[in-house]
Amino acid sequence: MEKTFNLARREDGIAILTMDVPGETMNTLRSEFGPEISEMLAEIKQDSSIKGLVLVSGKKDSFVAGADISMLDACETAVDAKLLSQQGHVVFNELENLSIPVIAAINGACLGGGLELALACHQRVCSLNSKTMMGVPEVQLGLLPGGGGTQRLPRLVGITTALDMMLTGKQIRPKQAVKMGLVDDAVPESILIRTAIEMALAGKRPAKKKKQTFINKMLEGSSAGRNIIFDQAGKQVAKKTQGNYPAPAKIIDCVRQGMTKGMIKGLEVEASHFSDLVMSKESEALRSIFFATTEMKKETGAGDVEPRKVKKAMILGGGLMGGGIASVTTTKAKIPARVKDISETGLSNALSYAYKLLDKGVKRRHMTPAVRDNLMALMTTTTEYKGIKDADIVVEAVFEDLSLKHQMVKDVERECGENTIFASNTSSLPISQIAEAAARPENVIGLHYFSPVEKMPLVEVIAHEKTSAETIATTVAFARKQGKTPIVVQDGAGFYVNRILALYMNEAAQLLLEGQSVEHLDKALVKFGFPVGPMTLLDEVGIDVGAKISPILEAELGERFKAPSAFDKLLADDRKGRKNGKGFYQYGSKKKAKEVDSSVYTVLGLTPGQNSDASELAQRCVVQMLNEAVRCLEEGIIASARDGDIGAIFGIGFPPFLGGPFHYIDTLGPAKLVEILSGYQSQFGDRFAPAELLKQMVNEQSYFFK
């Protein structure tokens, strides 16, 4: 059997220990490596000719990407999970207790268990490679660093910095890492190993004093000060997680106990909290999202068909969406983009939008001005169809007007090549209707981005019945290069995400008209786990946009999509939301907290009455979304429950700890959902009628994933 760890002795007494997992592109830590490492460390201890040890990775551009997550799914009990953590502790303690200097030479990703391995070394040096990143992202999977990270990190970089890293999962770049004391040095990749060897030859050094702000020094220097830090962190976490995520509070507890009662106690608490979290339903849901997105990265969206290479893109429309799409095309995908708009103003908007985003990177020192300018040079503009003959894909982001989109299809077919893909960023018009104007309908596809484009991770790739498999595969690959998670959905009004969102929003509006206050409704759904409440969302998306989409959905999908007529009153009062500073909330005031614009009640002719139970309100809105998601699966709009979960989480912020609508239905039980829906149906009418597939599942006692 090929070994993962190989030891090479040098004549100067320094040994190089290389980790290289056979047959994998990345190194990940697995429990079965434990005995192999222990054997290797015993051999090093017994060899008196070894004066120092340098730990390196045999993989290009990656040190250790973390622990192998699938190991956690194999744990059947909390005891199994605790054992994993304790095994890690034993091995890392052995490494730390070697009497010779141990140096980690880090190049590329050093995350989770990989960083914990580096922390157990006596010193660390990293390369200045742009791929070098350090961090402990376990919290994003509902876990905590279980290999001693909650103990070694605060001792190295200070409590405040360590908590910030562990509670956010943020990744640290090389220069930042030196500044915070996470690594001792950062050098060009070409001299990384040499520098590590020199550090090992210089012998063990006392740890560098970490640079801390005066306040942090004062607070961390006394037990009363440390208590203030832990209490503050606890309060912030409770506010952010709404009590829905158990990991952050457990991370704080590990650090608190370790810093108060010492390392041994800290490790014991870490192993026990780690095992609880591995078995929690929240972590299970978050891990399922991780596996689903990893699996999706390998799929083309069109079976075995290979995507064509996109060397140049064109964007029609320089508005907010067009500017955002052009920006992710040049900066993320590094593909030249030509933006066409009828006005110079539109074009300068698109350019300044992209420039502002890149300039943020320069200000934060993530990139140099030269890199920014080179990326900006990939974006060119035109008011006519010039310089676009060779565009491989054209993304159209103009107004939601069918005749305008028909004109665009004809223009593109006339001016571009015969293989050029025409992708429409429509949010509600069926793609087959747009393709009616095309001579080459097989090249027409929907590519629906969410606003703001640079932040929202999802895109819907919408195929109509004539779209070719190659067009689908090429569009999926293009979206992925832009840093997006694409899901392929079939053509139909509202596609998937806006369709399930529409019923949820309509129900929230219904509750408002029944006398619930705006802030109570929003708070109820944030407490449930959404990033923002439905009224805030309506202000952000635009009340006018919502009003435009509703009739399209109602015409195509039926009565249940009818929006409350009271919304016409809002539009008559020129309330569009944030974009024109008039909506459910007040805009333009200097106050931190948003305040409701109470005149909205007058416009709607309402007096907000007694607020109902928050969980009841959330349930009424959410079951509408769940029911519609099942209908989309039933009609083949989405290919699988997995795609439906990813679409809802990445497209509208469905609470990730619930795993997505379909995972959540499994947790509730289809029978329970049908019972809730039927109850509402008898109370409020047929918009709550349970989907046929749900009723069938109750009869068959089947589930989506179990």
Side-chain angles (χ1 to χ4, degrees):
M1 198 179 117
E2 279 186 89
K3 286 166 74 171
T4 297
F5 295 87
N6 291 292
L7 194 66
R9 293 167 174 78
R10 290 167 45 99
E11 286 178 5
D12 56 10
I14 302 301
I16 310 277
L17 181 58
T18 305
M19 176 175 179
D20 196 344
V21 183
E24 298 287 340
T25 49
M26 295 269 220
N27 282 332
T28 53
L29 296 172
R30 298 178 192 158
S31 56
E32 63 260 29
F33 298 159
E36 195 186 329
I37 302 177
S38 295
E39 228 170 86
M40 190 66 78
L41 294 177
E43 185 186 324
I44 292 165
K45 261 188 210 160
Q46 279 157 3
D47 188 339
S48 57
S49 70
I50 298 180
K51 303 280 184 279
L53 183 65
V54 171
L55 207 62
V56 299
S57 159
K59 305 290 181 201
K60 187 183 169 341
D61 291 339
S62 108
F63 182 68
V64 180
D68 186 345
I69 314 288
S70 50
M71 240 175 12
L72 306 178
D73 277 13
C75 294
E76 285 178 14
T77 63
V79 176
D80 298 343
K82 192 170 189 176
L83 212 58
L84 278 182
S85 173
Q86 287 168 332
Q87 272 179 318
H89 292 169
V90 169
V91 171
F92 291 165
N93 285 343
E94 282 177 10
L95 186 65
E96 190 174 43
N97 293 331
L98 285 177
S99 56
I100 54 170
V102 182
I103 318 293
I106 301 165
N107 177 47
C110 172
L111 301 169
L115 185 59
E116 291 179 297
L117 169 65
L119 290 171
C121 298
H122 304 134
Q123 284 181 283
R124 286 148 296 284
V125 55
C126 72
S127 73
L128 290 163
N129 181 342
S130 62
K131 293 206 168 75
T132 299
M133 288 285 193
M134 287 147 278
V136 271
E138 286 86 346
V139 71
Q140 293 162 1
L141 293 175
L143 300 166
L144 54 76
T150 66
Q151 303 308 305
R152 290 192 178 93
L153 195 57
R155 286 170 171 79
L156 184 66
V157 299
I159 296 171
T160 319
T161 309
L163 282 176
D164 182 44
M165 281 177 70
M166 290 190 278
L167 294 172
T168 59
K170 63 165 66 154
Q171 299 191 359
I172 309 293
R173 294 160 191 266
K175 285 178 180 165
Q176 241 178 320
V178 175
K179 206 169 154 191
M180 70 204 286
L182 185 60
V183 298
D184 300 271
D185 204 355
V187 298
E189 192 183 338
S190 55
I191 59 164
L192 177 68
I193 308 291
R194 198 174 85 210
T195 309
I197 290 167
E198 282 164 9
M199 284 165 79
L201 285 168
K204 279 193 183 177
R205 295 266 172 100
K208 275 189 189 170
K209 278 272 172 266
K210 46 188 172 280
K211 282 186 188 164
Q212 284 187 297
T213 60
F214 177 70
I215 291 183
N216 283 355
K217 225 182 218 151
M218 293 296 291
L219 286 174
E220 295 188 18
S222 70
S223 63
R226 289 194 290 272
N227 282 336
I228 293 174
I229 296 174
F230 294 128
D231 291 345
Q232 278 306 103
K235 278 182 196 149
Q236 283 173 335
V237 155
K239 193 176 166 196
K240 238 188 162 136
T241 64
Q242 297 282 332
N244 290 323
Y245 294 85
K250 285 195 181 324
I251 289 173
I252 296 170
D253 188 50
C254 287
V255 181
R256 181 177 226 155
Q257 297 223 43
M259 295 313 267
T260 317
K261 300 173 185 164
M263 183 92 168
I264 293 173
K265 177 68 179 166
L267 289 172
E268 200 181 295
V269 173
E270 181 186 271
S272 124
H273 281 344
F274 176 78
S275 66
D276 289 346
L277 290 172
V278 169
M279 304 317 288
S280 70
K281 59 182 193 312
E282 291 84 359
S283 176
E284 191 191 341
L286 293 166
R287 295 197 306 264
S288 76
I289 299 166
F290 171 80
F291 287 127
T293 47
T294 311
E295 202 177 90
M296 287 166 93
K297 281 181 187 146
K298 300 174 190 147
E299 298 170 7
T300 65
D304 302 332
V305 176
E306 283 299 308
R308 273 205 316 274
K309 221 175 154 41
V310 172
K311 298 192 195 78
K312 183 175 180 181
M314 178 188 179
I315 314 312
L316 295 176
L320 211 55
M321 291 306 278
I325 296 165
S327 168
V328 294
T329 306
T330 53
T331 49
K332 289 267 176 37
K334 315 274 191 291
I335 292 172
R338 193 150 175 83
V339 185
K340 180 192 177 292
D341 198 286
I342 43 175
S343 77
E344 289 291 349
T345 329
L347 297 174
S348 61
N349 281 347
L351 287 168
S352 73
Y353 187 89
Y355 185 83
K356 269 187 205 139
L357 288 176
L358 283 170
D359 205 41
K360 265 189 201 160
V362 174
K363 287 191 179 119
R364 291 182 185 151
R365 303 208 171 150
H366 291 172
M367 68 168 69
T368 60
V371 170
R372 172 199 64 202
D373 298 344
N374 285 340
L375 287 171
M376 277 308 295
L378 288 173
M379 195 184 293
T380 56
T381 59
T382 176
T383 51
E384 293 165 30
Y385 285 100
K386 284 189 177 153
I388 49 112
K389 281 266 180 287
D390 54 345
D392 299 297
I393 187 166
V394 174
V395 183
E396 164 276 301
V398 300
F399 298 112
E400 290 288 86
D401 176 320
L402 192 58
S403 55
L404 177 62
K405 290 185 193 286
H406 280 168
Q407 188 53 53
M408 297 287 135
V409 173
K410 288 175 183 152
D411 291 350
V412 167
E413 289 196 325
R414 185 183 66 240
E415 302 288 345
C416 299
E418 61 185 59
N419 290 324
T420 302
I421 291 171
F422 182 91
S424 173
N425 173 51
T426 175
S427 52
S428 54
L429 292 167
I431 302 301
S432 56
Q433 290 181 15
I434 295 172
E436 279 165 7
R440 295 188 282 272
E442 67 277 8
N443 293 346
V444 178
I445 196 164
L447 186 54
H448 178 216
Y449 295 83
F450 296 82
S451 181
V453 177
E454 71 281 1
K455 285 201 182 116
M456 295 299 279
L458 186 80
V459 289
E460 289 178 302
V461 174
I462 305 116
H464 63 104
E465 64 272 11
K466 290 181 182 157
T467 307
S468 73
E470 190 180 55
T471 297
I472 298 173
T474 306
T475 309
V476 165
F478 174 67
R480 215 167 265 145
K481 279 194 89 167
Q482 292 173 322
K484 302 295 170 200
T485 298
I487 62 167
V488 177
V489 299
Q490 291 308 308
D491 195 20
F495 316 125
Y496 171 64
V497 173
N498 279 347
R499 180 168 156 183
I500 65 171
L501 182 64
L503 286 188
Y504 161 86
M505 299 289 267
N506 277 357
E507 204 52 46
Q510 212 60 56
L511 286 163
L512 178 74
L513 300 177
E514 285 171 26
Q516 300 298 320
S517 70
V518 169
E519 62 266 62
H520 184 60
L521 266 173
D522 272 354
K523 275 187 188 144
L525 283 134
V526 168
K527 176 89 190 109
F528 181 80
F530 281 92
V532 296
M535 299 297 143
T536 302
L537 188 60
L538 205 49
D539 264 2
E540 292 293 333
V541 171
I543 298 168
D544 54 331
V545 176
K548 246 194 195 134
I549 294 175
S550 275
I552 298 178
L553 294 177
E554 194 190 340
E556 297 277 334
L557 298 164
E559 184 68 24
R560 67 179 183 282
F561 280 91
K562 191 172 175 56
S565 53
F567 271 92
D568 300 342
K569 294 179 184 167
L570 294 176
L571 292 175
D573 192 42
D574 193 34
R575 283 179 192 262
K576 291 179 180 165
R578 178 190 277 283
K579 63 176 142 196
N580 75 339
K582 274 180 84 174
F584 292 103
Y585 286 90
Q586 293 176 13
Y587 295 97
S589 74
K590 293 279 184 285
K591 286 183 189 153
K592 268 246 161 121
K594 276 204 328 236
E595 285 186 14
V596 172
D597 179 355
S598 52
S599 65
V600 77
Y601 297 123
T602 321
V603 173
L604 292 169
L606 292 173
T607 315
Q610 203 52 46
N611 283 326
S612 307
D613 174 55
S615 58
E616 175 65 26
L617 298 180
Q619 177 173 286
R620 234 178 89 179
C621 297
V622 172
V623 295
Q624 281 281 37
M625 185 183 275
L626 301 179
N627 199 21
E628 200 57 34
V630 174
R631 282 203 185 94
C632 289
L633 181 64
E634 194 174 32
E635 292 168 24
I637 295 289
I638 44 175
S640 63
R642 177 204 72 180
D643 289 5
D645 280 346
I646 296 298
I649 290 167
F650 287 177
I652 43 188
F654 188 91
F657 69 92
L658 296 173
F662 294 96
H663 260 98
Y664 184 47
I665 293 171
D666 276 0
T667 309
L668 276 177
K672 178 73 185 154
L673 180 56
V674 168
E675 182 194 321
I676 296 169
L677 286 164
S678 306
Y680 286 142
Q681 184 181 7
S682 56
Q683 209 176 338
F684 303 108
D686 284 345
R687 67 176 188 272
F688 282 101
E692 284 307 313
L693 177 59
L694 274 178
K695 294 195 267 190
Q696 190 183 322
M697 287 171 77
V698 176
N699 290 336
E700 293 167 0
Q701 294 187 330
S702 61
Y703 292 85
F704 292 112
F705 294 103
K706 287 181 186 175

